[in-house]
Structures are given as C-alpha cells and as structure tokens.
Amino acid sequence: MGDVAKDLAAGTVGGAAQLIVGHPFDTIKVKLQSQPAPLPGQTLKYAGAMDAVRQTVAAEGPRGLYKGMGAPLATVAAFNAVLFSVRGQMEALLRSQPGAPLTVNQQIICGAGAGVAVSVLACPTELIKCRLQAQSALADSSSASVTVKYGGPMDVARHVLRSEGGVRGLFKGLVPTMAREVPGNAAMFGVYEALKQFFAGGQDTSKLGRGSLIVAGGLAGASFWVSVYPTDVVKSVIQVDDYKNPKFSGSIDAFRKILASEGVKGLYKGFGPAMARSVPANAACFLAYEVTKSSLG
C-alpha cells in the first residue's frame, strides 16, 4: 500500500478507537462548559464532573453519555484520514531523504499543518455534537434556544441549514476551532515524537513496544488540551449560542464576557473531564494508528 493509503486506513482505525474510549468524557466536558451561569441565589445545574455524570445517567441512562456520537462517528473516518494523511504528506516534504527520521520541531510543523486541514471538517461536526450534548445542560436556562429539541445529528443539521443561515451556519465557531486545532495538534504531535525519541534513546523509534506508545500517546493527548483549553471553551459557547438572540458577538467577546462573569475559572470549565478523556482516548488512538500502519507493511 502507498503511504497515503496507509495513513488513511490507520488514521481511521485510530480515530474510531479514540471516539469509543473518549466520548463519555467529552459529553461531560461540554455539559460543564455550556451550562449557564446561575442567577442570584441559584446554584449551577452541575456541581462538578461526577454530579454531571450522575444526573445524566439518572435522566437519560448510560446512553446519555454517548449523546452526539453519531456526528463524529459518521465523520471520524474523514477527520482522522485527513489529520494523519496531511501530517504524513508534510513529513514527506520535510524529510531530507525518503525514510529519514524527523526532528521534534519538524513534527510540530507537521501537526500545525494537519490542524489547519482538519479544522474545516471539525467545525460542523463539533457544532452538531455540542448542540446535542448541551441540550440538557441548558434546560434550566431562560435562553430561547433551549426550546429547540434535536432528535439527532441530522435534525441539528437540518435546523441549522433551514434557520441559521444555511451552510454558513454549520461553520459557526470556525475561528476558535482553528485556534484550537492548529496549536493543539502542533503540541500533540511534537510531544508524541519527543516522548517516542526519549523512550527509544534516539530518533529511531521503530522498535518501541506498545507500552511506550500508549504512554507517549496519552501524554501527547494531554498536551493538546493543556495548550488550548480556554479556546475550546470559547468554541463551545459560541456554537451553542442562540442564533436569534446571541449572547456573544464573536470569539473575543465570548472570551471577555466569560472572564468578566466567571473569572479565569470559567475558561477551564470541564477541564477535569477533558484531561481524564485525553489520556486514555489518545493512547488508544495512537496505539491503534501505529499498530494498524505497521500491520499494513
């Protein structure tokens, strides 16, 4: 198989593994991010991550933790195929000769380039996912958008296309999505390569065992969220904001208002579930990617 085909296939398998392991954590993250600030004398709908889990399971059953998975599952093949194949093609461009190992800095560049490419796919997928995940978190809000109840991913897409500006509505939040994906993937692939080289004692990482790949992948995933988490919070609130009566005029306005009303803590809502998700989900993703690519020869 050609290198592009290997990256496409391995990226697809890696993305599926990542989604299955990590989606329940992501659901809780979005619920915490999108719950509205309480009115005076009231408390937050969710006191924390475990409270969000308990309330979600009580109200919706275990399936509630997988709400919104249809959209990313439907596009996981395309998303990860683009991520890993663009990264692979950039690796080929940066190599001094075929098969030559890349430096950590070169992998950072490859990750950033891949982040630009996947942002276009990630934005509409994330919007649909966040709308579905955030519905119950917004249930006690006075926002008019709460009256919209989505039956599933296609229902969200139809509503946005019909009532929120057509195709352009699906790309609401593209700027913060790109601001998340570019530096986030640069950090993730840079850390992944640095850890692999550290474990291997040099640039030849082809003989690393699965345990080393799991650790490197898990910590690389954690580095993604450490580097861009406030941007992800801004993206989430922009994408679930009411189209007709928006609270935020844009990314900068959302950042300022969150900071003003909730302080720095507001920019890290859901950080615990995000970090709890990132380690096992990305460990599964990178391990599945490496094993699949190796098995393809």
Side-chain angles (χ1 to χ4, degrees), residues 249-270:
S249 61
S251 300
I252 301 299
D253 183 51
F255 178 85
R256 288 173 176 165
K257 286 181 177 176
I258 292 170
L259 200 58
S261 63
E262 304 175 58
V264 174
K265 185 178 179 181
L267 294 169
Y268 285 89
K269 290 187 295 186

Side-chain angles (χ1 to χ4, degrees), residues 29-44:
K29 172 182 74 72
V30 172
K31 284 177 180 287
L32 292 174
Q33 286 178 340
S34 57
Q35 64 177 329
L39 297 172
Q42 296 183 347
T43 60
L44 287 167

Side-chain angles (χ1 to χ4, degrees), residues 79-152:
F79 182 91
N80 282 277
V82 169
L83 180 68
F84 283 98
S85 61
V86 169
R87 175 201 175 213
Q89 290 306 293
M90 292 194 68
E91 286 178 331
L93 288 173
L94 293 175
R95 283 194 175 100
S96 56
Q97 59 185 37
L102 297 181
T103 66
V104 172
N105 286 339
Q106 286 173 319
Q107 285 289 358
I108 289 172
I109 294 170
C110 292
V116 173
V118 299
S119 294
V120 177
L121 286 173
C123 187
T125 302
E126 287 277 310
L127 183 141
I128 291 170
K129 175 181 69 68
C130 287
R131 293 282 180 94
L132 290 170
Q133 290 173 324
Q135 281 189 113
S136 59
L138 293 169
D140 293 337
S141 170
S142 59
S143 171
S145 64
V146 178
T147 61
V148 178
K149 292 295 183 183
Y150 304 113

